[in-house]
Amino acid sequence: MLYKIFCEIDNLNIQIKIKNKKLSLIYEEGTLPLELKKAIKEHKYEIMKRLEENEMARAKGFLIYRYGELYEYRYGLGAYLFIEREGDLAIAWRANYMPEEKQPYKIKMLAERVTFEKAFQEAENFINWLQRQKRGVKGA
């Protein structure tokens, strides 16, 4: 449902933000359909949570696709970390690709069928580990 709401908001060129812990919409008068307004009001807290999660992921270095349905973090040539939502649950995994190949040659699951928070935590732990490894190499 959130994807549909975000997609419609985007298509109508409506900006949605959190200001002072409240949802704020910026749009031209007459461009917000009543049905969309009702859907936003009904899913206000889920929308706010998704916006906060997206900002948290962006701050960690993730690219965000499909309004927070998929997150991508590139940490090397052909090396990616993904978080993907599957309904109320999420999965986090790493995938390695050879140049010009569409299928990964290696996949490592970090978290499967867990809450988004747990999947993000596992991904964040991996990113933190990577950063510690890089610092260790520089100091050697």
Side-chain angles (χ1 to χ4, degrees):
M1 183 62 180
L2 286 184
Y3 175 78
K4 184 179 178 213
I5 292 170
F6 280 114
C7 194
E8 199 170 341
I9 286 169
D10 195 33
N11 287 337
L12 293 171
N13 201 27
I14 297 171
Q15 293 180 31
I16 187 166
K17 299 178 181 186
I18 299 173
K19 278 187 176 177
N20 302 324
K21 301 201 186 248
K22 291 186 178 184
L23 210 51
S24 172
L25 299 173
I26 302 167
Y27 57 94
E28 290 183 30
E29 193 170 331
T31 59
L32 181 61
L34 184 58
E35 287 301 313
L36 178 58
K37 187 174 182 176
K38 286 179 184 177
I40 291 170
K41 192 172 186 174
E42 181 180 335
H43 297 281
K44 180 172 103 174
Y45 295 109
E46 294 104 308
I47 291 168
M48 289 174 62
K49 184 176 180 196
R50 178 69 59 91
L51 291 172
E52 289 168 351
E53 289 168 348
N54 289 352
E55 193 52 44
M56 182 176 62
R58 200 173 282 113
K60 198 67 181 172
F62 280 91
L63 297 175
I64 297 152
Y65 300 102
R66 299 187 330 242
Y67 314 106
E69 296 291 313
L70 177 69
Y71 301 81
E72 172 192 301
Y73 181 90
R74 184 173 179 179
Y75 60 93
L77 182 62
Y80 297 88
L81 170 62
F82 297 102
I83 303 171
E84 185 172 12
R85 294 178 194 269
E86 295 180 331
D88 292 337
L89 299 176
I91 60 173
W93 77 97
R94 299 183 344 230
N96 297 89
Y97 297 83
M98 293 298 288
E100 309 300 321
E101 292 293 321
K102 293 183 181 188
Q103 295 297 320
Y105 68 87
K106 181 180 176 185
I107 296 175
K108 169 77 170 138
M109 296 302 286
L110 301 178
E112 198 168 359
R113 301 194 47 73
V114 297
T115 63
F116 175 81
E117 293 79 8
K118 176 69 173 157
F120 185 82
Q121 182 62 53
E122 291 297 324
E124 187 175 41
N125 289 345
F126 177 72
I127 293 168
N128 292 340
W129 177 83
L130 277 175
Q131 292 170 342
R132 284 193 305 272
Q133 295 302 312
K134 287 180 182 179
R135 282 194 300 268
V137 171
K138 288 179 183 175

